[in-house]
C-alpha cells in the first residue's frame, strides 16, 4: 500500500480521484479519436454512394482471407489486452507481462499481414497517384477513377489505423518495464487501464473497417 | 514546506527564478504566463499582417504590393490570428490560470499534459513561422480546395502541418479543463455554484474536443492530396471539393464559439463584480453556454450558401443558424438585467465588458442577417461578412480577453495597472474598432468583395476611414503592453481582492502560492452572492 | 471504492461472440439479401463494437459520466454524418 501511495500525484486528494481523472481523460481522448476517424467514414459513405459499382469492384480485389484473418488476430489481441489489464487489477505481475507480450505479438502479426497486403497493392499499381492503373482481371477500366477513390480511402483509413497500431505497440513495449518491476498494483494501475481503452478502441475501428472495405457487394 | 513558505510570502512567481524553473514548470499559473508571452507575440505578428492589408487598401490602386503578396498578407493575418491567437487566447492564458483557482483545486488534472500543450503550441508556431518566412501562404485561412491542393504555389503543406500540430495543444487544454471541472471541484462547489467563467470554459472545451480532430484530419487529407496525390477532394477522380468545405466548417464555425464562449464567461464575472449584483438568471446563462456549444455544431452550412450546396441543405442550415441567436440573446439580456439597479463602477474591466455587450450585439445581429439565405446571397464574400466576424472575434473575443487580463492582472501579478492609461486605451480600442469595422458593413453592402487588393474609386472614403480606425485601434492595443509591463515593477500593490469580488480565486493571496490555497477551500454559498457580501460590509 | 473486476469467463465469452460474429458477417456477405446486406453488415459491426465497449472497455461497470462521454462522442459523429449527407442526398451526388 505504501508503494501505491507514492503513485499519488500531489494535486489529487486520493488515488480514487486520480484514477477517475485519468479514466475520464482517456475517454475524452477517445472521443476526439471517434471524430478523427469519423471524417474518413463520412467521406467513405459519400463516395461509396456515388461510385458503388467501382467500389464493389475495388473491394473484390482485396484479399478477403487476409482481411478476415487480421480481424481474428485483432480480436484475439483485444482479449489478451483485456487479460493483461485483468492481471494488473488482481496483482499478478508475471501474467501482466506475458499478456502484454502476447498482445505485442498479435499486434505485430496484424501489421505484418498489412505489409503483405500493401506490397501487393504496389505490385498491381493499385496505389493512388500517377501510376494507378485499373484493368482486368481486377475490374473494368471504366471504373478507373472510382476505384482510385476507393484506394484513396482504403489507404487513408487503414493507414491511419496502422499508425494507431504502431503507437499502441510502442506504448505496450514501454509499459512492460514497470509491469515487470511490479509497479502496477490492484490499487494503482491507471496506465494499464488507459492503454487497454486505447487498444480496444483501435480494435473497434477495425471492426468497422473490415466489412466496409472488404465486404462490399461480395455476393 | 508550502504552508510555512506561504506565510513568509512565497508565491508562484517567487518559487524559483531560474529559466529551468519556468521551462519545466508544471504549475498551471506559470504555464498561463508562458502562454501569455507566446500569444502576445503572435498577436503582434498577426496585427502587422493586418496593418499591411489596411495600408494597401488606403488607395484604390494596388500600389503598395502585388496582388499575390496581398493574398499572402490576408491569409497569414487570418491563420496567425485565428489559430495562434484567438483560439488559445482566453482558455490558454486566463483559463489555465483561473480554472483550478476557481474550482478550488491545486492544479489542473494533468499538469504534464498542460506543459506539453505549451510546447506543442510553440512547435506548431515555429513551423508556421517557417512557412511564413519561406514565402507564406496565399489560400486564405480557409484553404479551400482545389486551389490549395492543386493550384496554389505557396507553402500550403508546411502551414497545414503547423496547424495540425497546433490542434493537439488545443485538445490538451480542453481535455484538462473538462477533467478538472468534473473531478476536482472543492467540497461544496456544486455545478450550479460554479462561476459562469467555468461554464464558458467547459462549453468551449466540449467544442475543442469534438471539433479539433475533424479539422486536423481534414487538413491532413489536404496535405496528402497535395503531396501524395491521395485525392479525396479531387474532382478529377469524382471527388467533391465541397466536402472539404463541409469538413472545414464543421470545426471552423464552432471555432468561433471556442473564441467567444470563454469571453462570455469573463464578461459574466466582470459585470457582476462591478454592478455588485448576482448574475441575473444564472441557470439560463450557464445552460446558454452549453446550448451554444451544441447548436454551434449544427449550423456550419451557412458558409456554403453559394458554394453549390443543395438548396434544401441551405434552408435547413439557415433555420438552424438562427437558433444560435436564442442562447446568445439570453446572455446579452441577462447581463443587461444584471446591471439593472446595480451600483455600477466604471473600472477598466467594466469598460471592456460594456464594450463587449454593444459590439457583440451588433456582431450577433448581423450574424442573424447573414443566416438569412436571400440576404446572404447579396453580401456573401463581401466586406459585410468581414465586418460581421470582426465584430464577434475582435469586438467580442478580444474585448473579453483584454477585460479579463485587466480584471485578473492584480491576481496574476499582485500589482494594479495604472488607472488613467488603461481607461484611455480601453477608449481608444472601442473608438478605433468601430471606426475600422463599421465602414466595412457599408462597403460590403455596397458590393465591395473581400480579398481584393484594389477597388473602384467610389469605395475610397470608407476604406480610408477604416484604415484610420485601424491605426487608432493599433495604438489602443499597444498601450497595455507598455503600462502592464510598467506596472510589474512600479504598480501599486493590489492586495488579495482589490475589486471586492466574489469567487474562490479572490480568497487566496495575490499572487497565489504555488499550491493555490493555504487551506483547502470549502464553498458554502451560491455564486456571485454580492447582495449578501454588501449586507455584511454595511 | 474498489472498482469492478470482470471475470475471465466473461472476457472469454465476449471473445468467442466476437469471433462468431466475424464468421457470420463474412458468410452473410456472400448471400444476396439486396439492401439488407448492408443493414446486416452494419448491425453486426455495431453489435461487436457495443460488446467491446461494454465489456472489454468496462463501460457496463463504470459510472454514468463514462457512458455519457461515449454516447456524446457517437452522437456528434452521427450529427456530422447526417448533416453532411443531407446535402449530398438532396443534391443528387449520392444515389
Amino acid at each position: 500500500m505504501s508503494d501505491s501511495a507514492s503513485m499519488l500525484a500531489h494535486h489529487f486528494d486520493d488515488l480514487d480521484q486520480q484514477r477517475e481523472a485519468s479514466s475520464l481523460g482517456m475517454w475524452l481522448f477517445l472521443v476526439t479519436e471517434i471524430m478523427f476517424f469519423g471524417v474518413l467514414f463520412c467521406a467513405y459513405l459519400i463516395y461509396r454512394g456515388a461510385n458503388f459499382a467501382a467500389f464493389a469492384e475495388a473491394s473484390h480485389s482485396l484479399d478477403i482471407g487476409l482481411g478476415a484473418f487480421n480481424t481474428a488476430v485483432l480480436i484475439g489481441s483485444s482479449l489478451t489486452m483485456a487479460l493483461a489489464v485483468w492481471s494488473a487489477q488482481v496483482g499478478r505481475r508475471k501474467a501482466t507481462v506475458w499478456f502484454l507480450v502476447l498482445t505485442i505479438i498479435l499486434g505485430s502479426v496484424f501489421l505484418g499481414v498489412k505489409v503483405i497486403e500493401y506490397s501487393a497493392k504496389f505490385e498491381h499499381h493499385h496505389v493512388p497517384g500517377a501510376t494507378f492503373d485499373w484493368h482486368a482481371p481486377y475490374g473494368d477500366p471504366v471504373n478507373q477513377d472510382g476505384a482510385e477513390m476507393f484506394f484513396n480511402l482504403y489507404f487513408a483509413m487503414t493507414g491511419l489505423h496502422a499508425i494507431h497500431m504502431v503507437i499502441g505497440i510502442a506504448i505496450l513495449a514501454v509499459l512492460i518495464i514497470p509491469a515487470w518491476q511490479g509497479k502496477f498494483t490492484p490499487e494503482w494501475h491507471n496506465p494499464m487501464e488507459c492503454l487497454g481503452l486505447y487498444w480496444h478502441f483501435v480494435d473497434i475501428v477495425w471492426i468497422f473497417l473490415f466489412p466496409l472495405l472488404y465486404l462490399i457487394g461480395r455476393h | 514546506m508550502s504552508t510555512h513558505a506561504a506565510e513568509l510570502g512565497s508565491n508562484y512567481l517567487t518559487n524559483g527564478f531560474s529559466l529551468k524553473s519556468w521551462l519545466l514548470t508544471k504549475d498551471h499559473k506559470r504555464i498561463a504566463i508562458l502562454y501569455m508571452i507566446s500569444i502576445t507575440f503572435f498577436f503582434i505578428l498577426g496585427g502587422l499582417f493586418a496593418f499591411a492589408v489596411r495600408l494597401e487598401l488606403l488607395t484604390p490602386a494596388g500600389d503598395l504590393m502585388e496582388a499575390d503578396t496581398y493574398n499572402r498578407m490576408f491569409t497569414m493575418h487570418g491563420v496567425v490570428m485565428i489559430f495562434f491567437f484567438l483560439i488559445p487566447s482566453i482558455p490558454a492564458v486566463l483559463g489555465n490560470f483561473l480554472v483550478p483557482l476557481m474550482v478550488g483545486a491545486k492544479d489542473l488534472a494533468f499538469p504534464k499534459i498542460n506543459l506539453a500543450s505549451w510546447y506543442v503550441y510553440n512547435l506548431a508556431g515555429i513551423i508556421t513561422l517557417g512557412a511564413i518566412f519561406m514565402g507564406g501562404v496565399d489560400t486564405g485561412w480557409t484553404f479551400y480546395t482545389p486551389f490549395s491542393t492543386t493550384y496554389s504555389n505557396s507553402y500550403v503543406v508546411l502551414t497545414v502541418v503547423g496547424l495540425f500540430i497546433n490542434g493537439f495543444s488545443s485538445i490538451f487544454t480542453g481535455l484538462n479543463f473538462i477533467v478538472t471541472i468534473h473531478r476536482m471541484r472543492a467540497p461544496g462547489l456544486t455545478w450550479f455554484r460554479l462561476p459562469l467563467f467555468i461554464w464558458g470554459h467547459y462549453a468551449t472545451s466540449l467544442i475543442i474536443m469534438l471539433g479539433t480532430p475533424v479539422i486536423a484530419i481534414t487538413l491532413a487529407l489536404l496535405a496528402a492530396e497535395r503531396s501524395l496525390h491521395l485525392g479525396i477532394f479531387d474532382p478529377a477522380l469524382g471527388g467533391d471539393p465541397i466536402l472539404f468545405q463541409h469538413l472545414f466548417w464543421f470545426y471552423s464555425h464552432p471555432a468561433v464559439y471556442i473564441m467567444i464562449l470563454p469571453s462570455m464567461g469573463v464578461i459574466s464575472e466582470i459585470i457582476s463584480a462591478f454592478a455588485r449584483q448576482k448574475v441575473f438568471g444564472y441557470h439560463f446563462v450557464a445552460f446558454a453556454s452549453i446550448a451554444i456549444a451544441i447548436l454551434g455544431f449544427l449550423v456550419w452550412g451557412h458558409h456554403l450558401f453559394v458554394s453549390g450546396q443543395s438548396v434544401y441543405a441551405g434552408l435547413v442550415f439557415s433555420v438552424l443558424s438562427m437558433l444560435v441567436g436564442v442562447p446568445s440573446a439570453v446572455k446579452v439580456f441577462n447581463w443587461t438585467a444584471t446591471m439593472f439597479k446595480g451600483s455600477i463602477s466604471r473600472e477598466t474591466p467594466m469598460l471592456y465588458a460594456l464594450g463587449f455587450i454593444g459590439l457583440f450585439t451588433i456582431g450577433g445581429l448581423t450574424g442573424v442577417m447573414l443566416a438569412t439565405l436571400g440576404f446572404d446571397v447579396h453580401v456573401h464574400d463581401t466586406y459585410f461578412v468581414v465586418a460581421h466576424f470582426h465584430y464577434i472575434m475582435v469586438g467580442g473575443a478580444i474585448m473579453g480577453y483584454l477585460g479579463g487580463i485587466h480584471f485578473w492582472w492584480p491576481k496574476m501579478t499582485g500589482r494594479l495597472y495604472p488607472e488613467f492609461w488603461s481607461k484611455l486605451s480601453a477608449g481608444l480600442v472601442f473608438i478605433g474598432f468601430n471606426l475600422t469595422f463599421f465602414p466595412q458593413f457599408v462597403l460590403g453592402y455596397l458590393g465591395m468583395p473581400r480579398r481584393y487588393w484594389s477597388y473602384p474609386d467610389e469605395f475610397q472614403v470608407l476604406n480610408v476611414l477604416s484604415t484610420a480606425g485601424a491605426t487608432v485601434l493599433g495604438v489602443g492595443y499597444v498601450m497595455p503592453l507598455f503600462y502592464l509591463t510598467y506596472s510589474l515593477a512600479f504598480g501599486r500593490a493590489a492586495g488579495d481582492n482589490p475589486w471586492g469580488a466574489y469567487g474562490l480565486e479572490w480568497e487566496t493571496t495575490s499572487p497565489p502560492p504555488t499550491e493555490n490555497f493555504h487551506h483547502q477551500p470549502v464553498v458554502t454559498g451560491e455564486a456571485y452572492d454580492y447582495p449578501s457580501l454588501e449586507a455584511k460590509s454595511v | 471504492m474498489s472498482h469492478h473486476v470482470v471475470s475471465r469467463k466473461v472476457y472469454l465469452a465476449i471473445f468467442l461472440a466476437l469471433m462468431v460474429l466475424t464468421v457470420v458477417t463474412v458468410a452473410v456477405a456472400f448471400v444476396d439479401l439486396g439492401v439488407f446486406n448492408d443493414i446486416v453488415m452494419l448491425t453486426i459491426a455495431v453489435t461487436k463494437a457495443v460488446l467491446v465497449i461494454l465489456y472489454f472497455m468496462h463501460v457496463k461497470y463504470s459510472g454514468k459520466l463514462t457512458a455519457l462521454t461515449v454516447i456524446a462522442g457517437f452522437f456528434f459523429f452521427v450529427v456530422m454524418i447526417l448533416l453532411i449527407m443531407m446535402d449530398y442526398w438532396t443534391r443528387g451526388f449520392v444515389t
Side-chain angles (χ1 to χ4, degrees):
Chain A
M1 191 62 214
S2 62
D3 233 24
S4 333
S6 67
M7 293 303 174
L8 180 63
H10 77 101
H11 57 293
F12 288 111
D13 297 335
D14 52 45
L15 282 173
D16 269 342
Q17 190 190 30
Q18 186 170 352
R19 193 180 62 79
E20 282 172 5
S22 74
S23 141
L24 178 61
M26 195 62 210
W27 273 108
L28 286 168
F29 174 72
L30 293 184
V31 167
T32 70
E33 291 275 29
I34 292 175
M35 301 307 284
F36 201 64
F37 280 100
V39 167
L40 294 174
F41 281 103
C42 183
Y44 169 87
L45 207 62
I46 291 167
Y47 292 133
R48 173 191 155 121
N51 313 293
F52 185 78
F55 267 49
E57 251 180 37
S59 169
H60 292 177
S61 78
L62 300 179
D63 190 328
I64 195 169
L66 288 180
F69 173 75
N70 253 354
T71 310
V73 167
L74 214 48
I75 292 173
S77 81
S78 249
L79 176 69
T80 56
M81 187 68 233
L83 291 174
V85 176
W86 177 85
S87 311
Q89 279 178 334
V90 297
R92 296 193 186 177
R93 185 177 66 93
K94 276 188 186 160
T96 313
V97 174
W98 279 117
F99 280 121
L100 285 176
V101 172
L102 262 174
T103 312
I104 291 181
I105 292 171
L106 288 171
S108 309
V109 168
F110 178 93
L111 287 175
V113 171
K114 214 69 230 157
V115 170
I116 296 171
E117 285 189 274
Y118 275 12
S119 51
K121 299 289 162 275
F122 276 94
E123 237 171 76
H124 302 148
H125 297 287
H126 290 171
V127 178
T131 57
F132 186 83
D133 190 20
W134 193 245
H135 54 74
Y138 300 105
D140 190 340
V142 191
N143 289 326
Q144 162 111 0
D145 291 344
E148 188 170 351
M149 184 56 86
F150 175 87
F151 281 105
N152 278 333
L153 287 159
Y154 170 83
F155 278 102
M157 294 168 112
T158 58
L160 196 64
H161 179 260
I163 291 172
H164 278 78
M165 294 283 296
V166 171
I167 294 171
I169 290 175
I171 301 174
L172 278 164
V174 169
L175 281 196
I176 283 181
I177 301 160
W180 178 256
Q181 292 167 338
K183 291 264 172 65
F184 301 130
T185 61
E187 289 82 23
W188 185 84
H189 48 269
N190 298 347
M192 287 291 295
E193 267 194 15
C194 291
L195 174 65
L197 292 177
Y198 175 87
W199 192 263
H200 297 310
F201 173 81
V202 176
D203 186 23
I204 290 175
V205 172
W206 183 259
I207 283 176
F208 283 98
L209 286 183
F210 171 63
L212 288 179
L213 294 174
Y214 288 77
L215 301 180
I216 308 176
R218 281 281 180 177
H219 48 79
Chain B
M1 168 247 157
S2 62
T3 45
H4 181 64
E7 279 154 20
L8 294 173
S10 164
N11 61 54
Y12 82 99
L13 290 170
T14 56
N15 179 23
F17 294 94
S18 64
L19 192 61
K20 192 181 150 200
S21 76
W22 279 90
L23 293 182
L24 294 180
T25 183
K26 279 174 245 152
D27 184 345
H28 65 102
K29 300 181 286 301
R30 286 194 164 201
I31 296 169
I33 302 293
L34 292 174
Y35 251 122
M36 191 198 272
I37 295 166
S38 305
I39 277 169
T40 306
F41 169 77
F42 280 104
F43 180 60
I44 293 169
L45 185 71
L48 290 176
F49 287 129
F51 194 63
V53 167
R54 278 321 319 166
L55 215 55
E56 165 59 45
L57 292 176
L58 202 54
T59 58
D63 36 20
L64 190 66
M65 54 185 92
E66 303 280 314
D68 188 47
T69 318
Y70 179 81
N71 289 347
R72 287 165 200 244
M73 287 299 155
F74 74 70
T75 300
M76 292 182 296
H77 166 64
V79 167
V80 169
M81 282 299 200
I82 288 175
F83 294 109
F84 291 97
F85 175 72
L86 283 164
I87 286 174
S89 61
I90 299 183
V93 178
L94 295 172
N96 243 335
F97 196 94
L98 291 162
V99 166
L101 283 167
M102 283 182 170
V103 302
K106 290 183 192 131
D107 205 323
L108 285 171
F110 310 113
K112 281 182 206 159
I113 291 182
N114 195 23
L115 180 63
S117 149
W118 182 70
Y119 278 102
V120 168
Y121 170 85
N122 282 304
L123 174 68
I126 288 168
I127 292 175
T128 309
L129 277 180
I132 289 173
F133 281 119
M134 285 165 75
V137 218
D138 65 351
T139 57
W141 76 279
T142 48
F143 301 103
Y144 274 13
T145 53
F147 180 69
S148 58
T149 48
T150 313
Y151 303 105
S152 169
N153 293 317
S154 57
Y155 294 88
V156 179
V157 174
L158 200 58
T159 313
V160 159
V161 168
L163 299 184
F164 182 90
I165 294 172
N166 194 33
F168 285 97
S169 83
S170 274
I171 288 175
F172 289 167
T173 303
L175 192 148
N176 244 325
F177 286 173
I178 296 182
V179 175
T180 307
I181 295 167
H182 268 289
R183 293 295 188 213
M184 302 180 73
R185 299 193 306 276
L189 190 54
T190 57
W191 278 89
F192 293 110
R193 285 175 177 178
L194 285 172
L196 290 163
F197 181 90
I198 297 292
W199 279 95
H201 275 74
Y202 186 77
T204 274
S205 306
L206 290 181
I207 303 176
I208 288 176
M209 301 309 284
L210 292 163
T212 315
V214 173
I215 187 125
I217 189 74
T218 306
L219 292 179
L221 288 172
L222 188 163
E225 181 162 343
R226 195 176 161 86
S227 52
L228 307 173
H229 303 286
L230 200 81
I232 304 265
F233 308 114
D234 187 355
L237 300 181
D240 183 21
I242 299 174
L243 179 60
F244 175 84
Q245 298 182 22
H246 275 298
L247 296 171
F248 178 85
W249 289 110
F250 180 85
Y251 166 77
S252 297
H253 189 77
V256 178
Y257 305 118
I258 296 181
M259 306 169 201
I260 201 75
L261 280 167
S263 187
M264 290 169 155
V266 171
I267 301 306
S268 296
E269 301 297 314
I270 295 176
I271 297 242
S272 61
F274 293 106
R276 314 223 54 80
Q277 295 259 57
K278 274 190 183 181
V279 171
F280 180 83
Y282 171 94
H283 288 75
F284 282 90
V285 182
F287 282 126
S289 297
I290 306 297
I292 290 174
I294 293 172
L295 290 175
F297 277 108
L298 312 179
V299 304
W300 79 81
H302 63 228
H303 294 269
L304 282 66
F305 282 164
V306 300
S307 297
Q309 174 185 245
S310 81
V311 177
Y312 178 85
L315 283 169
V316 173
F317 278 124
S318 171
V319 173
L320 288 172
S321 301
M322 290 184 197
L323 286 182
V324 185
V326 177
S328 309
V330 163
K331 284 186 177 244
V332 171
F333 287 132
N334 284 19
W335 290 322
T336 318
T338 304
M339 288 187 281
F340 181 64
K341 288 191 175 172
S343 49
I344 293 171
S345 55
R346 284 175 287 276
E347 306 284 351
T348 311
M350 188 62 164
L351 295 183
Y352 279 110
L354 294 172
F356 174 99
I357 295 181
L359 300 180
F360 174 74
T361 304
I362 295 178
L365 287 174
T366 50
V368 178
M369 290 166 79
L370 286 168
T372 318
L373 265 170
F375 182 77
D376 184 74
V377 172
H378 175 59
V379 295
H380 204 97
D381 277 335
T382 69
Y383 267 88
F384 192 91
V385 178
V386 175
H388 155 70
F389 69 70
H390 280 87
Y391 264 80
I392 299 283
M393 292 179 194
V394 185
I398 300 187
M399 293 298 259
Y401 177 68
L402 287 175
I405 289 285
H406 284 86
F407 187 55
W408 284 292
W409 188 256
K411 182 52 66 183
M412 295 168 97
T413 63
R415 304 283 184 161
L416 284 170
Y417 52 80
E419 196 58 43
F420 169 77
W421 291 105
S422 61
K423 281 187 174 158
L424 181 66
S425 107
L428 285 180
V429 166
F430 185 77
I431 294 167
F433 173 82
N434 280 295
L435 192 55
T436 311
F437 292 106
F438 204 83
Q440 296 187 2
F441 278 126
V442 185
L443 276 172
Y445 193 78
L446 293 176
M448 178 166 164
R450 63 180 181 157
R451 295 183 168 177
Y452 279 77
W453 86 118
S454 78
Y455 51 83
D457 291 341
E458 64 257 36
F459 292 141
Q460 190 174 15
V461 175
L462 289 165
N463 269 302
V464 169
L465 281 178
S466 184
T467 301
T471 314
V472 177
L473 187 61
V475 173
Y477 280 150
V478 169
M479 279 170 62
L481 210 58
F482 290 102
Y483 66 71
L484 288 179
T485 315
Y486 167 87
S487 79
L488 284 179
F490 305 105
R492 279 191 296 124
D496 292 350
N497 189 356
W499 316 119
Y502 204 88
L504 285 181
E505 81 270 27
W506 299 108
E507 287 176 18
T508 186
T509 45
S510 303
T514 303
E515 296 274 296
N516 285 349
F517 297 95
H518 302 299
H519 307 286
Q520 170 69 52
V522 177
V523 180
T524 53
E526 301 299 308
Y528 310 113
D529 202 359
Y530 286 102
S532 77
L533 205 69
E534 300 289 289
K536 260 183 238 162
S537 65
V538 167
Chain C
M1 181 201 95
S2 176
H3 49 287
H4 191 93
V5 178
V6 185
S7 85
R8 278 171 293 178
K9 276 182 197 154
V10 174
Y11 285 138
L12 213 61
I14 298 302
F15 168 74
L16 288 175
L18 292 173
M19 286 303 215
V20 170
L21 285 171
T22 306
V23 174
V24 171
T25 199
V26 173
V28 168
F30 288 96
V31 184
D32 190 355
L33 299 172
V35 284
F36 287 102
N37 269 108
D38 289 344
I39 295 171
V40 170
M41 181 179 90
L42 273 179
T43 311
I44 292 177
V46 169
T47 311
K48 286 164 80 178
V50 169
L51 286 177
V52 173
I53 289 172
L54 285 182
Y55 294 95
F56 281 176
M57 299 170 94
H58 305 154
V59 169
K60 188 166 189 262
Y61 314 99
S62 312
K64 276 186 209 145
L65 181 61
T66 313
L68 193 68
T69 311
V70 181
I71 292 168
F74 283 104
F75 174 77
F76 280 93
F77 168 57
V78 171
V79 163
M80 176 173 75
I81 296 235
L82 282 183
L83 282 179
I84 290 183
M85 290 312 284
M86 174 181 75
D87 173 30
Y88 284 88
W89 280 322
T90 54
R91 204 184 333 143
F93 190 90
V94 172
T95 43

